[in-house]
Amino acid sequence: MTKQYTLSQLADYLGASLEGSADQPIVKIATLANAKSQDIAFLANKKYRSQLESTEAGAVILSADEAEYFTGNKVICDNPYVAYAKLAQYMDTTPSAASNIHASACIDNEATLGENVKVAANAVIESGAIIGDNVEIGPGCFIGKNARIGANTKLWANVTIYHEVVIGEQCLFQSGTVIGSDGFGYANESGEWVKIPQIGTVVIGNRVEVGACTSIDRGAIDDTIIHDNVILDNQIQIAHNVEIGYGTAIAGCTVLAGSVKIGKYCQIGGMVAINGHNEVCDGVVITGMSMVTKGITKPGVYSSGMPHTTNKEWRKSIAHLRNLSDFKARIKALESLTAQLQHTDK
């Protein structure tokens, strides 16, 4: 059965002001374009302001500056997008990853489980593992020897946590995530690869969220470290001995090579590649598909990916790019000739 709220309940939860009917029933959050009479929508971007005239929403979350453009029920706050995020948490109907300790779960006698731990079918928890209170472990998960998982952390199905990995509290791992797999460490002896056992681990702080099928490799000697409040999207590769600072966000399909260090509050777009042993300072934004080949020491926005254009224009640009060396030589020759002519005139 769908849970129903009153508009006053939601406004009180957000600490926002309400203009309109306090008893307006609300059952879910919707976009302005698709909202119905018992939905609440939000306006966080001015370019959607025109939709306020046609929306059928029972109420809209908006800022004081935008309130005059809507005549219906309003929840007014400073940051409508943050309010939407908090309201989505409050009204969230996502089920638990597990509801109890399933009979088919394989839990070693030497593992330690806190209170109210839930372990779904076919999960494995090995000896020495310490699982905090209220942790949810989804179907098919693997928790290796001596791993530690902090309270209120959730693992969705088929998450793999290798041995000795340390995870903080209130973290979230989406399905298929692998934490603590071997880093890419090899020596070469006369053409033969000699594996280097990766004896470090991965240490993850509190309130870290990791997307589906993301891999975080354990350190070669020292640890791979993910600090508090970091969010990682799907299908990211974090190599051995990487360190990611507090509050950084990284979008999907990005690759951080070994020993990269990322500062605090960075935002890294999708499909970015950062070469190994480079350091990125605090407060850096790197746009999607950029290649970072050297360290970044000043906060700001950095880009290197080529935006799309028509195939015809792209082929022209590539042709010019291939001829840059020739263009450079011709320009230098012209500069030399110009200097000679000027000298002659004198």
Side-chain angles (χ1 to χ4, degrees):
M1 184 177 178
T2 303
K3 187 172 181 179
Q4 183 171 289
Y5 305 84
T6 64
L7 193 55
S8 60
Q9 280 179 287
L10 302 184
D12 289 345
Y13 173 76
L14 294 172
S17 60
L18 168 62
E19 292 184 10
S21 173
D23 296 327
Q24 167 67 37
I26 299 294
V27 296
K28 67 183 179 71
I29 303 170
T31 61
L32 287 167
N34 296 320
K36 301 304 179 185
S37 61
Q38 292 192 331
D39 298 340
I40 186 168
F42 65 96
L43 176 66
N45 189 323
K46 288 182 179 179
K47 71 179 184 179
Y48 297 110
R49 182 192 289 165
S50 61
Q51 295 182 7
L52 291 174
E53 297 178 6
S54 57
T55 186
E56 298 177 24
V60 175
I61 303 168
L62 31 63
S63 67
D65 292 340
E66 301 291 339
E68 64 179 289
Y69 299 102
F70 184 60
T71 58
N73 298 317
K74 312 170 195 178
V75 175
I76 302 172
C77 58
D78 294 333
N79 190 326
Y81 197 68
V82 171
Y84 150 65
K86 292 180 176 179
L87 201 60
Q89 291 183 7
Y90 182 62
M91 301 173 70
D92 188 16
T93 58
T94 303
S96 298
S99 57
N100 52 28
I101 296 181
H102 196 274
S104 66
C106 183
I107 303 173
D108 192 278
N109 290 333
E110 295 184 10
T112 302
L113 273 60
E115 296 183 3
N116 196 37
V117 170
K118 300 172 182 178
V119 185
N122 299 317
V124 174
I125 302 177
E126 293 201 325
S127 63
I130 300 174
I131 312 299
D133 296 344
N134 306 309
V135 168
E136 296 179 11
I137 298 173
C141 289
F142 172 82
I143 313 298
K145 290 184 178 181
N146 303 318
R148 288 185 281 160
I149 300 178
N152 301 301
T153 287
K154 178 188 285 191
L155 281 61
W156 281 103
N158 301 313
V159 171
T160 297
I161 308 296
Y162 276 66
H163 55 285
E164 309 287 347
V165 166
V166 178
I167 294 171
E169 299 182 352
Q170 301 179 55
C171 295
L172 175 63
F173 296 85
Q174 300 292 345
S175 294
T177 295
V178 178
I179 309 296
S181 49
D182 278 357
F184 197 55
Y186 297 86
N188 192 289
E189 183 181 30
S190 302
E192 299 298 320
W193 292 111
V194 179
K195 183 174 177 57
I196 301 171
Q198 305 290 282
I199 61 174
T201 188
V202 178
V203 178
I204 294 178
N206 301 319
R207 294 174 287 105
V208 171
E209 299 200 4
V210 181
C213 298
T214 283
S215 297
I216 304 178
D217 292 343
R218 66 193 313 107
I221 298 175
D222 296 326
D223 299 333
T224 301
I225 300 173
I226 313 297
H227 289 276
D228 294 353
N229 192 35
V230 167
I231 53 174
L232 304 176
D233 199 359
N234 302 332
Q235 299 178 328
I236 293 170
Q237 162 64 17
I238 308 295
H240 56 188
N241 300 107
V242 166
E243 182 173 357
I244 301 177
Y246 184 99
T248 283
I250 303 179
C253 299
T254 283
V255 176
L256 307 186
S259 299
V260 163
K261 185 174 182 180
I262 306 295
K264 301 175 182 177
Y265 303 112
C266 293
Q267 297 178 45
I268 300 175
M271 298 185 72
V272 168
I274 303 182
N275 281 7
H277 301 274
N278 281 311
E279 186 168 341
V280 175
C281 69
D282 298 347
V284 167
V285 176
I286 303 174
T287 61
M289 299 189 72
S290 295
M291 178 176 285
V292 180
T293 58
K294 61 181 181 179
I296 297 175
T297 58
K298 294 182 179 180
V301 180
Y302 294 81
S303 303
S304 72
M306 183 179 290
H308 85 279
T309 184
T310 64
N311 181 262
K312 183 178 180 181
E313 288 298 320
W314 180 81
R315 290 168 70 90
K316 282 184 179 179
S317 297
I318 292 300
H320 291 321
L321 186 63
R322 287 176 174 171
N323 290 320
L324 280 180
S325 295
D326 181 52
F327 290 159
K328 182 179 179 181
R330 291 167 66 182
I331 290 170
K332 290 184 73 172
L334 286 171
E335 288 176 339
S336 177
L337 178 61
T338 301
Q340 291 177 19
L341 292 172
Q342 291 175 339
H343 181 73
T344 302
D345 289 342
K346 291 178 181 179

